[in-house]
PDB file of all heavy atoms in Angstrom:
ATOM      1  N   LYS A  34      14.720   8.365 -19.434  1.00 90.00           N
ATOM      2  CA  LYS A  34      15.641   8.259 -18.288  1.00 90.00           C
ATOM      3  C   LYS A  34      16.470   9.539 -18.146  1.00 90.00           C
ATOM      4  O   LYS A  34      16.700  10.018 -17.040  1.00 90.00           O
ATOM      5  CB  LYS A  34      16.578   7.054 -18.459  1.00 90.00           C
ATOM      6  CG  LYS A  34      15.876   5.722 -18.468  1.00 90.00           C
ATOM      7  CD  LYS A  34      15.376   5.347 -17.105  1.00 90.00           C
ATOM      8  CE  LYS A  34      13.905   5.053 -17.149  1.00 90.00           C
ATOM      9  NZ  LYS A  34      13.268   4.806 -15.865  1.00 90.00           N
ATOM     10  N   HIS A  37      14.273  12.234 -16.711  1.00 95.00           N
ATOM     11  CA  HIS A  37      14.021  12.053 -15.271  1.00 95.00           C
ATOM     12  C   HIS A  37      15.184  12.617 -14.455  1.00 95.00           C
ATOM     13  O   HIS A  37      14.962  13.320 -13.461  1.00 95.00           O
ATOM     14  CB  HIS A  37      13.831  10.566 -14.947  1.00 95.00           C
ATOM     15  CG  HIS A  37      12.498  10.030 -15.384  1.00 95.00           C
ATOM     16  ND1 HIS A  37      12.237   8.683 -15.496  1.00 95.00           N
ATOM     17  CD2 HIS A  37      11.347  10.662 -15.718  1.00 95.00           C
ATOM     18  CE1 HIS A  37      10.979   8.522 -15.883  1.00 95.00           C
ATOM     19  NE2 HIS A  37      10.428   9.692 -16.033  1.00 95.00           N
ATOM     20  N   LEU A  38      16.402  12.316 -14.872  1.00 96.00           N
ATOM     21  CA  LEU A  38      17.566  12.826 -14.135  1.00 96.00           C
ATOM     22  C   LEU A  38      17.590  14.348 -14.175  1.00 96.00           C
ATOM     23  O   LEU A  38      17.754  15.009 -13.150  1.00 96.00           O
ATOM     24  CB  LEU A  38      18.868  12.287 -14.743  1.00 96.00           C
ATOM     25  CG  LEU A  38      19.271  10.864 -14.379  1.00 96.00           C
ATOM     26  CD1 LEU A  38      20.623  10.524 -14.991  1.00 96.00           C
ATOM     27  CD2 LEU A  38      19.329  10.685 -12.866  1.00 96.00           C
ATOM     28  N   CYS A  41      14.665  15.851 -12.066  1.00 97.00           N
ATOM     29  CA  CYS A  41      14.854  15.663 -10.613  1.00 97.00           C
ATOM     30  C   CYS A  41      15.989  16.536 -10.090  1.00 97.00           C
ATOM     31  O   CYS A  41      15.953  16.990  -8.944  1.00 97.00           O
ATOM     32  CB  CYS A  41      15.110  14.194 -10.285  1.00 97.00           C
ATOM     33  SG  CYS A  41      13.621  13.198 -10.430  1.00 97.00           S
ATOM     34  N   SER A  91      17.994   4.222  -2.764  1.00 98.00           N
ATOM     35  CA  SER A  91      16.819   3.738  -3.501  1.00 98.00           C
ATOM     36  C   SER A  91      17.066   3.694  -5.005  1.00 98.00           C
ATOM     37  O   SER A  91      17.905   4.433  -5.539  1.00 98.00           O
ATOM     38  CB  SER A  91      15.613   4.636  -3.219  1.00 98.00           C
ATOM     39  OG  SER A  91      15.221   4.528  -1.872  1.00 98.00           O
ATOM     40  N   SER A  92      16.300   2.865  -5.676  1.00 98.00           N
ATOM     41  CA  SER A  92      16.405   2.659  -7.126  1.00 98.00           C
ATOM     42  C   SER A  92      16.274   3.983  -7.865  1.00 98.00           C
ATOM     43  O   SER A  92      15.315   4.719  -7.647  1.00 98.00           O
ATOM     44  CB  SER A  92      15.249   1.780  -7.593  1.00 98.00           C
ATOM     45  OG  SER A  92      15.092   0.656  -6.772  1.00 98.00           O
ATOM     46  N   MET A  93      17.220   4.259  -8.766  1.00 98.00           N
ATOM     47  CA  MET A  93      17.104   5.505  -9.520  1.00 98.00           C
ATOM     48  C   MET A  93      17.408   5.401 -11.003  1.00 98.00           C
ATOM     49  O   MET A  93      16.570   5.707 -11.810  1.00 98.00           O
ATOM     50  CB  MET A  93      17.963   6.590  -8.880  1.00 98.00           C
ATOM     51  CG  MET A  93      17.285   7.250  -7.699  1.00 98.00           C
ATOM     52  SD  MET A  93      18.189   8.637  -7.063  1.00 98.00           S
ATOM     53  CE  MET A  93      19.500   7.833  -6.177  1.00 98.00           C
ATOM     54  N   GLY A 121      18.097   1.910 -11.183  1.00 98.00           N
ATOM     55  CA  GLY A 121      16.833   2.277 -11.818  1.00 98.00           C
ATOM     56  C   GLY A 121      16.293   1.154 -12.692  1.00 98.00           C
ATOM     57  O   GLY A 121      16.970   0.126 -12.893  1.00 98.00           O
ATOM     58  N   SER A 122      15.105   1.364 -13.191  1.00 98.00           N
ATOM     59  CA  SER A 122      14.463   0.362 -14.040  1.00 98.00           C
ATOM     60  C   SER A 122      15.402  -0.075 -15.165  1.00 98.00           C
ATOM     61  O   SER A 122      15.957   0.757 -15.888  1.00 98.00           O
ATOM     62  CB  SER A 122      13.189   0.932 -14.647  1.00 98.00           C
ATOM     63  OG  SER A 122      12.732   0.036 -15.630  1.00 98.00           O
ATOM     64  N   ASN A 150      15.892  -3.910 -10.861  1.00 98.00           N
ATOM     65  CA  ASN A 150      14.629  -3.159 -10.846  1.00 98.00           C
ATOM     66  C   ASN A 150      13.919  -3.221 -12.192  1.00 98.00           C
ATOM     67  O   ASN A 150      14.528  -3.001 -13.243  1.00 98.00           O
ATOM     68  CB  ASN A 150      14.925  -1.687 -10.500  1.00 98.00           C
ATOM     69  CG  ASN A 150      13.670  -0.869 -10.241  1.00 98.00           C
ATOM     70  OD1 ASN A 150      12.871  -0.632 -11.152  1.00 98.00           O
ATOM     71  ND2 ASN A 150      13.487  -0.444  -9.014  1.00 98.00           N
ATOM     72  N   HIS A 180       8.721  -2.446  -9.252  1.00 98.00           N
ATOM     73  CA  HIS A 180       8.047  -1.231  -8.796  1.00 98.00           C
ATOM     74  C   HIS A 180       6.621  -1.160  -9.317  1.00 98.00           C
ATOM     75  O   HIS A 180       6.316  -1.599 -10.426  1.00 98.00           O
ATOM     76  CB  HIS A 180       8.864   0.037  -9.079  1.00 98.00           C
ATOM     77  CG  HIS A 180       9.059   0.385 -10.521  1.00 98.00           C
ATOM     78  ND1 HIS A 180      10.210   0.116 -11.216  1.00 98.00           N
ATOM     79  CD2 HIS A 180       8.247   1.025 -11.387  1.00 98.00           C
ATOM     80  CE1 HIS A 180      10.091   0.566 -12.454  1.00 98.00           C
ATOM     81  NE2 HIS A 180       8.909   1.122 -12.582  1.00 98.00           N
ATOM     82  N   LYS A 217       7.769  -2.562  -4.471  1.00 98.00           N
ATOM     83  CA  LYS A 217       8.056  -1.176  -4.083  1.00 98.00           C
ATOM     84  C   LYS A 217       7.135  -0.239  -4.852  1.00 98.00           C
ATOM     85  O   LYS A 217       6.879  -0.469  -6.033  1.00 98.00           O
ATOM     86  CB  LYS A 217       9.523  -0.893  -4.436  1.00 98.00           C
ATOM     87  CG  LYS A 217       9.937   0.554  -4.454  1.00 98.00           C
ATOM     88  CD  LYS A 217      11.380   0.693  -4.918  1.00 98.00           C
ATOM     89  CE  LYS A 217      11.819   2.131  -4.949  1.00 98.00           C
ATOM     90  NZ  LYS A 217      11.074   2.942  -5.915  1.00 98.00           N
ATOM     91  N   GLU A 218       6.686   0.832  -4.202  1.00 98.00           N
ATOM     92  CA  GLU A 218       5.993   1.907  -4.925  1.00 98.00           C
ATOM     93  C   GLU A 218       7.070   2.898  -5.405  1.00 98.00           C
ATOM     94  O   GLU A 218       8.275   2.592  -5.318  1.00 98.00           O
ATOM     95  CB  GLU A 218       4.978   2.589  -3.982  1.00 98.00           C
ATOM     96  CG  GLU A 218       3.522   2.543  -4.479  1.00 98.00           C
ATOM     97  CD  GLU A 218       3.200   3.516  -5.594  1.00 98.00           C
ATOM     98  OE1 GLU A 218       4.026   4.374  -5.916  1.00 98.00           O
ATOM     99  OE2 GLU A 218       2.087   3.445  -6.156  1.00 98.00           O
ATOM    100  N   VAL A 219       6.645   4.045  -5.887  1.00 98.00           N
ATOM    101  CA  VAL A 219       7.649   5.041  -6.291  1.00 98.00           C
ATOM    102  C   VAL A 219       7.386   6.390  -5.621  1.00 98.00           C
ATOM    103  O   VAL A 219       7.871   7.423  -6.069  1.00 98.00           O
ATOM    104  CB  VAL A 219       7.712   5.203  -7.834  1.00 98.00           C
ATOM    105  CG1 VAL A 219       8.113   3.896  -8.506  1.00 98.00           C
ATOM    106  CG2 VAL A 219       6.387   5.718  -8.397  1.00 98.00           C
ATOM    107  N   ALA A 242       7.735   2.944   0.046  1.00 98.00           N
ATOM    108  CA  ALA A 242       7.926   4.081  -0.877  1.00 98.00           C
ATOM    109  C   ALA A 242       6.715   5.004  -0.871  1.00 98.00           C
ATOM    110  O   ALA A 242       6.057   5.206  -1.883  1.00 98.00           O
ATOM    111  CB  ALA A 242       8.250   3.580  -2.282  1.00 98.00           C
ATOM    112  N   GLY A 246       7.849  12.855  -0.409  1.00 98.00           N
ATOM    113  CA  GLY A 246       9.142  13.219  -0.989  1.00 98.00           C
ATOM    114  C   GLY A 246       8.990  13.540  -2.471  1.00 98.00           C
ATOM    115  O   GLY A 246       8.108  14.306  -2.867  1.00 98.00           O
ATOM    116  N   THR A 247       9.842  12.918  -3.291  1.00 98.00           N
ATOM    117  CA  THR A 247       9.787  13.147  -4.734  1.00 98.00           C
ATOM    118  C   THR A 247       8.408  12.738  -5.255  1.00 98.00           C
ATOM    119  O   THR A 247       7.939  11.639  -4.990  1.00 98.00           O
ATOM    120  CB  THR A 247      10.875  12.306  -5.435  1.00 98.00           C
ATOM    121  OG1 THR A 247      12.125  12.572  -4.792  1.00 98.00           O
ATOM    122  CG2 THR A 247      10.967  12.658  -6.921  1.00 98.00           C
ATOM    123  N   TRP A 249       6.305  11.753  -8.319  1.00 97.00           N
ATOM    124  CA  TRP A 249       6.439  11.327  -9.714  1.00 97.00           C
ATOM    125  C   TRP A 249       5.345  11.887 -10.592  1.00 97.00           C
ATOM    126  O   TRP A 249       5.519  11.994 -11.811  1.00 97.00           O
ATOM    127  CB  TRP A 249       6.611   9.809  -9.800  1.00 97.00           C
ATOM    128  CG  TRP A 249       8.050   9.581  -9.501  1.00 97.00           C
ATOM    129  CD1 TRP A 249       8.621   9.453  -8.264  1.00 97.00           C
ATOM    130  CD2 TRP A 249       9.119   9.681 -10.429  1.00 97.00           C
ATOM    131  NE1 TRP A 249       9.987   9.437  -8.389  1.00 97.00           N
ATOM    132  CE2 TRP A 249      10.319   9.568  -9.691  1.00 97.00           C
ATOM    133  CE3 TRP A 249       9.198   9.852 -11.819  1.00 97.00           C
ATOM    134  CZ2 TRP A 249      11.574   9.624 -10.315  1.00 97.00           C
ATOM    135  CZ3 TRP A 249      10.448   9.885 -12.425  1.00 97.00           C
ATOM    136  CH2 TRP A 249      11.605   9.779 -11.674  1.00 97.00           C
ATOM    137  N   GLY A 296      10.546   7.181   0.897  1.00 98.00           N
ATOM    138  CA  GLY A 296       9.605   8.181   0.418  1.00 98.00           C
ATOM    139  C   GLY A 296       9.704   9.429   1.278  1.00 98.00           C
ATOM    140  O   GLY A 296       9.122   9.493   2.354  1.00 98.00           O
ATOM    141  N   GLY A 297      10.536  10.379   0.830  1.00 98.00           N
ATOM    142  CA  GLY A 297      10.618  11.666   1.513  1.00 98.00           C
ATOM    143  C   GLY A 297      11.519  11.701   2.729  1.00 98.00           C
ATOM    144  O   GLY A 297      11.537  12.710   3.436  1.00 98.00           O
ATOM    145  N   ARG A 299      14.742  12.501   4.603  1.00 98.00           N
ATOM    146  CA  ARG A 299      15.762  13.469   4.218  1.00 98.00           C
ATOM    147  C   ARG A 299      16.911  13.604   5.208  1.00 98.00           C
ATOM    148  O   ARG A 299      17.861  14.345   4.944  1.00 98.00           O
ATOM    149  CB  ARG A 299      15.101  14.856   3.991  1.00 98.00           C
ATOM    150  CG  ARG A 299      14.125  14.872   2.807  1.00 98.00           C
ATOM    151  CD  ARG A 299      14.856  14.653   1.484  1.00 98.00           C
ATOM    152  NE  ARG A 299      13.967  14.570   0.337  1.00 98.00           N
ATOM    153  CZ  ARG A 299      13.588  13.426  -0.247  1.00 98.00           C
ATOM    154  NH1 ARG A 299      14.020  12.253   0.218  1.00 98.00           N
ATOM    155  NH2 ARG A 299      12.806  13.434  -1.309  1.00 98.00           N
ATOM    156  N   MET A 317      16.488   6.227   0.577  1.00 98.00           N
ATOM    157  CA  MET A 317      16.408   7.611   0.090  1.00 98.00           C
ATOM    158  C   MET A 317      16.844   7.631  -1.360  1.00 98.00           C
ATOM    159  O   MET A 317      17.826   6.967  -1.721  1.00 98.00           O
ATOM    160  CB  MET A 317      17.391   8.507   0.834  1.00 98.00           C
ATOM    161  CG  MET A 317      16.991   8.831   2.225  1.00 98.00           C
ATOM    162  SD  MET A 317      18.216   9.993   2.883  1.00 98.00           S
ATOM    163  CE  MET A 317      18.150   9.491   4.551  1.00 98.00           C
ATOM    164  N   ALA A 318      16.155   8.424  -2.158  1.00 98.00           N
ATOM    165  CA  ALA A 318      16.522   8.550  -3.563  1.00 98.00           C
ATOM    166  C   ALA A 318      17.115   9.935  -3.837  1.00 98.00           C
ATOM    167  O   ALA A 318      18.329  10.081  -3.993  1.00 98.00           O
ATOM    168  CB  ALA A 318      15.314   8.274  -4.458  1.00 98.00           C
ATOM    169  N   LEU A 319      16.265  10.951  -3.866  1.00 98.00           N
ATOM    170  CA  LEU A 319      16.714  12.278  -4.301  1.00 98.00           C
ATOM    171  C   LEU A 319      17.971  12.790  -3.578  1.00 98.00           C
ATOM    172  O   LEU A 319      18.875  13.309  -4.255  1.00 98.00           O
ATOM    173  CB  LEU A 319      15.564  13.289  -4.187  1.00 98.00           C
ATOM    174  CG  LEU A 319      15.771  14.556  -4.996  1.00 98.00           C
ATOM    175  CD1 LEU A 319      15.782  14.284  -6.493  1.00 98.00           C
ATOM    176  CD2 LEU A 319      14.681  15.586  -4.678  1.00 98.00           C
ATOM    177  N   PRO A 320      18.075  12.676  -2.257  1.00 98.00           N
ATOM    178  CA  PRO A 320      19.303  13.186  -1.617  1.00 98.00           C
ATOM    179  C   PRO A 320      20.565  12.500  -2.151  1.00 98.00           C
ATOM    180  O   PRO A 320      21.602  13.153  -2.313  1.00 98.00           O
ATOM    181  CB  PRO A 320      19.094  12.847  -0.133  1.00 98.00           C
ATOM    182  CG  PRO A 320      17.614  12.743   0.025  1.00 98.00           C
ATOM    183  CD  PRO A 320      17.105  12.173  -1.269  1.00 98.00           C
ATOM    184  N   LEU A 322      20.848  11.185  -5.178  1.00 98.00           N
ATOM    185  CA  LEU A 322      21.048  11.638  -6.565  1.00 98.00           C
ATOM    186  C   LEU A 322      21.786  12.978  -6.589  1.00 98.00           C
ATOM    187  O   LEU A 322      22.756  13.158  -7.335  1.00 98.00           O
ATOM    188  CB  LEU A 322      19.694  11.770  -7.272  1.00 98.00           C
ATOM    189  CG  LEU A 322      19.763  12.341  -8.685  1.00 98.00           C
ATOM    190  CD1 LEU A 322      20.520  11.392  -9.615  1.00 98.00           C
ATOM    191  CD2 LEU A 322      18.374  12.633  -9.236  1.00 98.00           C
TER     192      LEU A 322
HETATM  193  C1  FMN B 408      15.950  10.235 -10.816  1.00 63.44           C
HETATM  194  C2  FMN B 408      15.074   9.182 -10.183  1.00 63.44           C
HETATM  195  C3  FMN B 408      14.756   8.047 -10.921  1.00 63.44           C
HETATM  196  C4  FMN B 408      13.972   7.042 -10.362  1.00 63.44           C
HETATM  197  N1  FMN B 408      13.745   5.896 -11.072  1.00 63.44           N
HETATM  198  C5  FMN B 408      13.158   4.839 -10.458  1.00 63.44           C
HETATM  199  C6  FMN B 408      13.103   3.573 -11.084  1.00 63.44           C
HETATM  200  O1  FMN B 408      13.558   3.393 -12.211  1.00 63.44           O
HETATM  201  N2  FMN B 408      12.529   2.542 -10.406  1.00 63.44           N
HETATM  202  C7  FMN B 408      12.001   2.696  -9.152  1.00 63.44           C
HETATM  203  O2  FMN B 408      11.522   1.726  -8.548  1.00 63.44           O
HETATM  204  N3  FMN B 408      12.010   3.900  -8.557  1.00 63.44           N
HETATM  205  C8  FMN B 408      12.584   4.959  -9.161  1.00 63.44           C
HETATM  206  N4  FMN B 408      12.659   6.179  -8.525  1.00 63.44           N
HETATM  207  C9  FMN B 408      11.864   6.372  -7.300  1.00 63.44           C
HETATM  208  C10 FMN B 408      12.678   6.277  -6.026  1.00 63.44           C
HETATM  209  O3  FMN B 408      13.257   4.996  -5.878  1.00 63.44           O
HETATM  210  C11 FMN B 408      11.837   6.619  -4.789  1.00 63.44           C
HETATM  211  O4  FMN B 408      10.863   5.627  -4.580  1.00 63.44           O
HETATM  212  C12 FMN B 408      11.150   7.959  -4.869  1.00 63.44           C
HETATM  213  O5  FMN B 408      11.948   8.899  -5.545  1.00 63.44           O
HETATM  214  C13 FMN B 408      10.799   8.520  -3.504  1.00 63.44           C
HETATM  215  O6  FMN B 408      11.945   8.638  -2.697  1.00 63.44           O
HETATM  216  P1  FMN B 408      12.634  10.064  -2.365  1.00 63.44           P
HETATM  217  O7  FMN B 408      11.548  10.941  -1.820  1.00 63.44           O
HETATM  218  O8  FMN B 408      13.699   9.735  -1.363  1.00 63.44           O
HETATM  219  O9  FMN B 408      13.197  10.617  -3.644  1.00 63.44           O
HETATM  220  C14 FMN B 408      13.444   7.200  -9.040  1.00 63.44           C
HETATM  221  C15 FMN B 408      13.765   8.350  -8.314  1.00 63.44           C
HETATM  222  C16 FMN B 408      14.579   9.334  -8.852  1.00 63.44           C
HETATM  223  C17 FMN B 408      14.884  10.546  -8.036  1.00 63.44           C
END
Side-chain angles (χ1 to χ4, degrees):
K34 296 288 125 186
H37 285 164
L38 281 184
C41 287
S91 294
S92 313
M93 279 187 284
S122 170
N150 189 293
H180 66 260
K217 165 184 180 296
E218 239 284 351
V219 299
T247 308
W249 279 85
R299 295 294 176 259
M317 286 184 212
L319 198 66
L322 175 65

